[in-house]
Amino acid sequence: YTTVITYGTFDLLHFGHLEILRRAKDLGDRLIVGLSTDEFNLEKGKVCEFSYERRKQFLESLSYVDLVIPESNWEQKTNDVISNDADIFVMGSDWEGKFDFLKEHCEVRYFPRTKGVSTTELKKIIKKQ
Ligand code: C2G
């Protein structure tokens, strides 16, 4: 029974998000997503279009996602991995190497980002309408 965990803001959910969630789920039986809270997003310098509850609703509607937990700081990943018995930690390649400290607790995998889509780009398109 393999548990996979990943983290993100997942604002304006798009196929780049779907791709990494699909690939993460494909590695195991259960996928947990640490979803950045609105407050933590401010710390990350991100302003979301959708609230935490809305973004959580979107993720929970996906067959790939089994559990959504709040991500409220940079320090919680090790405890999350341990307390959820996560076997594999997954992030997109823009984070390559940044979470290798988790390797003493679980496998760490970075997947290539999906080209041609980003929340930032989507916002630009929407704002032009
Ligand atoms: N992603 C991707 N391809 C894209 C866009 C995003 O593979 N075109 C991946 C990112 O690499 C990340 C995940 O989708 O693994 C979520 O992306 P964001 O919501 O932008 O997450 P981010 O703000 O990078 O937050 O503690 C980790 C942070 O919470 C990650």
Side-chain angles (χ1 to χ4, degrees):
Y1 196 81
T2 304
T3 297
V4 186
I5 190 164
T6 188
Y7 292 80
T9 302
F10 295 102
D11 193 27
L12 298 182
L13 204 64
H14 55 65
F15 65 89
H17 297 137
L18 289 187
E19 267 303 279
I20 190 144
L21 293 171
R22 178 185 64 76
R23 298 179 75 177
K25 181 61 182 279
D26 273 355
L27 293 176
D29 307 288
R30 181 168 175 253
L31 174 60
I32 300 171
V33 178
L35 182 61
S36 307
T37 60
D38 297 333
E39 297 76 15
F40 183 51
N41 272 320
L42 292 179
E43 263 187 65
K44 286 165 49 175
K46 287 193 162 187
V47 177
C48 284
E49 293 300 319
F50 290 126
S51 69
Y52 174 82
E53 279 312 314
R54 282 270 176 266
R55 290 181 285 117
K56 182 169 186 273
Q57 231 177 327
F58 269 108
L59 288 178
E60 286 177 335
S61 72
L62 301 176
S63 58
Y64 307 135
V65 176
D66 297 287
L67 173 67
V68 177
I69 60 173
E71 180 192 31
S72 47
N73 60 66
W74 291 110
E75 293 73 33
Q76 70 184 75
K77 290 184 179 67
T78 302
N79 286 336
D80 289 349
V81 166
I82 294 168
S83 58
N84 288 284
D85 281 332
D87 304 286
I88 309 172
F89 168 88
V90 166
M91 281 308 287
S93 52
D94 46 318
W95 292 92
E96 185 84 35
K98 295 283 186 309
F99 301 112
D100 288 357
F101 62 87
L102 290 169
K103 282 184 176 170
E104 59 184 288
H105 303 287
C106 62
E107 197 186 322
V108 173
R109 296 279 299 268
Y110 300 99
F111 283 124
R113 273 179 74 93
T114 301
K115 298 216 177 330
V117 67
S118 73
T119 302
T120 312
E121 277 308 304
L122 287 176
K123 280 186 183 177
K124 281 187 200 142
I125 295 165
I126 294 169
K127 297 261 187 302
K128 276 201 203 102
Q129 306 304 341

